[in-house]
Amino acid sequence: MPAEIHFKMGKINKIGVLTSGGDAPGMNAAIRAVVRTAIYHGREVIGIRQGYTGMINSDFLPLVSTSVSDILQKGGTILKSSRCEEFRTPEGRKKAYDNLKSAGIDGLVVIGGDGSFTGARLFCEEFDIPIVGVPGTIDNDIYGTDYTIGYDTALNTVIQAVDKIRDTASSLDRMFFVEVMGAEAGFIALYSGIATGAEAIIIPEVKGEGRDLKKLLFEGNRRKKSSNIIIVAEGDEDGGAFAWAEKFKKEFPDLDIRVTVLGHLQRGGSPTATDRVNASRLGSAAVEALLDDQKSVMVGLQNDEIVLVPFSKAIKLHKDVNRELLNLAGILSI
Ligand code: F6P
């Protein structure tokens, strides 16, 4: 391990780092990587607490190497987070800019989801402080990266929970509608559905026949199972697990139906190895990108390689689920 400083040329000397939006396991690993990579290159780092709210309120704290000791394995974010309404206004962003200038912060790493990047992009257009984004959300719904920080841990949390639900569902021959997070997207639902052998998966990306539960569960060569698990993405257009269960109960009054909404437990917990390693790679890459004079871009992972994706694309373009996996889920649940 090199102990000395490897000074890299570049205009930026003091880097601010913040986490914004929904927290995600692995964000701490990313913060740690930002701090230590910046120090490795001879730069100062300032932690900004509570996301954009901290920029507006000057809630800054200098971070040194030991400030990020013993955080790699922790869920949540040591910097705290927020969904900041004031940052949506030009006045709020101007206040934030003035505070960054007074603190001498000349580059920013924003760890968050597409809402956070929308704010970051505007800020970059309005002011002369470059920003590099790191995709941090359990939803995995950001265009331009195969992976977002926290997704893997959330998936594993869902899988553990659904396995437990399966035990009780089988014992009592019940049907369970399990609602998972994912905002407008079905990534968590699709992957956890395959990993738990769900009998059906309901996600917003699927329209038409693929939403016909009766067909999915009881028709064709589908055997009658003792237990049925249906994973429902929270962002589904027909409502969540309760709405689906109610509809189904009306049609099949003899079925013993229960609903479980997994909720915010999906956002917590110690990050998996994948989240720790990928978050470390992305956090470090964000600092390298800033020092290479990049701005208004997100660092992402495509085919296990670090890539830079302009905010304009990451925010605007739609990331679709893998249709082959949908097909596979159908085949494997017969
Ligand atoms: O974006 C992460 C996420 O957990 C989504 O899956 C969910 O829809 C949303 O945040 C919940 O947000 P909040 O914690 O603000 O209720």
Side-chain angles (χ1 to χ4, degrees), residues 21-24 83 113-114 136-141 180-185 188 234-235 263-264 266-267:
D23 56 298
R83 300 192 193 277
D114 55 356
T137 163
I138 63 164
D139 302 332
N140 200 27
D141 58 349
V180 299
M181 279 187 169
E184 310 296 309
I188 296 178
E234 65 172 357
H264 285 79
Q266 294 164 92
R267 285 233 297 260

Side-chain angles (χ1 to χ4, degrees), residues 32-305:
R32 173 177 174 269
V34 168
V35 171
R36 294 201 171 159
T37 305
I39 290 171
Y40 175 79
H41 288 303
R43 297 327 202 261
E44 277 181 75
V45 190
I46 303 293
I48 301 168
R49 286 161 52 90
Q50 279 198 301
Y52 294 131
T53 308
M55 262 162 64
I56 292 170
N57 297 336
S58 269
D59 196 352
F60 302 149
L61 70 156
L63 296 174
V64 294
S65 188
T66 51
S67 318
V68 290
S69 298
D70 201 18
I71 66 167
L72 179 70
Q73 74 281 20
K74 292 187 176 142
T77 158
I78 59 155
L79 289 177
K80 299 187 176 288
S81 191
S82 69
R83 300 192 193 277
C84 179
E85 282 306 315
E86 201 180 345
F87 197 70
R88 292 175 194 270
T89 67
E91 298 75 27
R93 291 194 294 277
K94 174 72 171 66
K95 241 195 251 177
Y97 173 74
D98 291 342
N99 291 337
L100 292 179
K101 275 279 160 197
S102 316
I105 295 170
D106 47 14
L108 269 183
V109 174
V110 169
I111 306 167
D114 55 356
S116 309
F117 294 165
T118 303
R121 183 189 175 202
L122 260 178
F123 195 76
C124 274
E125 276 169 12
E126 292 167 345
F127 303 106
D128 59 349
I129 295 193
I131 305 184
V132 173
V134 175
T137 163
I138 63 164
D139 302 332
N140 200 27
D141 58 349
I142 301 180
Y143 179 89
T145 182
D146 300 336
Y147 160 88
T148 61
I149 294 171
Y151 173 61
D152 189 66
T153 306
L155 257 187
N156 281 289
T157 302
V158 171
I159 289 166
Q160 282 180 16
V162 175
D163 285 350
K164 289 176 180 159
I165 292 170
R166 177 74 79 180
D167 290 345
T168 175
S170 302
S171 303
L172 289 158
D173 287 351
R174 281 179 169 161
M175 172 176 280
F176 269 82
F177 286 81
V178 182
E179 183 176 307
V180 299
M181 279 187 169
E184 310 296 309
F187 292 94
I188 296 178
L190 176 58
Y191 277 71
S192 65
I194 291 177
T196 56
E199 278 64 35
I201 302 167
I202 305 289
I203 57 175
E205 290 87 345
V206 171
K207 315 281 176 204
E209 266 207 350
R211 306 177 63 77
D212 185 346
L213 256 195
K214 208 162 73 180
K215 213 175 217 161
L216 289 177
L217 295 174
F218 308 128
E219 287 182 8
N221 57 357
R222 278 159 206 279
R223 68 195 150 91
K224 198 163 175 1
K225 299 192 178 187
S226 67
S227 68
N228 280 287
I229 303 276
I230 295 111
I231 306 278
V232 184
E234 65 172 357
D236 189 68
E237 64 197 37
D238 285 341
F242 277 104
W244 275 91
E246 209 170 298
K247 241 185 346 191
F248 218 59
K249 183 86 192 156
K250 278 194 189 127
E251 213 170 331
F252 299 96
D254 294 340
L255 286 176
D256 196 2
I257 295 177
R258 294 289 186 276
V259 174
T260 304
V261 177
L262 294 182
H264 285 79
L265 71 82
Q266 294 164 92
R267 285 233 297 260
S270 178
T272 58
T274 299
D275 274 327
R276 294 180 196 199
V277 173
N278 285 347
S280 300
R281 290 177 72 189
L282 290 168
S284 184
V287 171
E288 300 286 350
L290 267 183
L291 299 184
D292 287 341
D293 296 328
Q294 293 288 342
K295 63 173 183 180
S296 208
V297 293
M298 170 191 83
V299 289
L301 277 174
Q302 288 176 15
N303 301 319
D304 206 32
E305 299 275 339

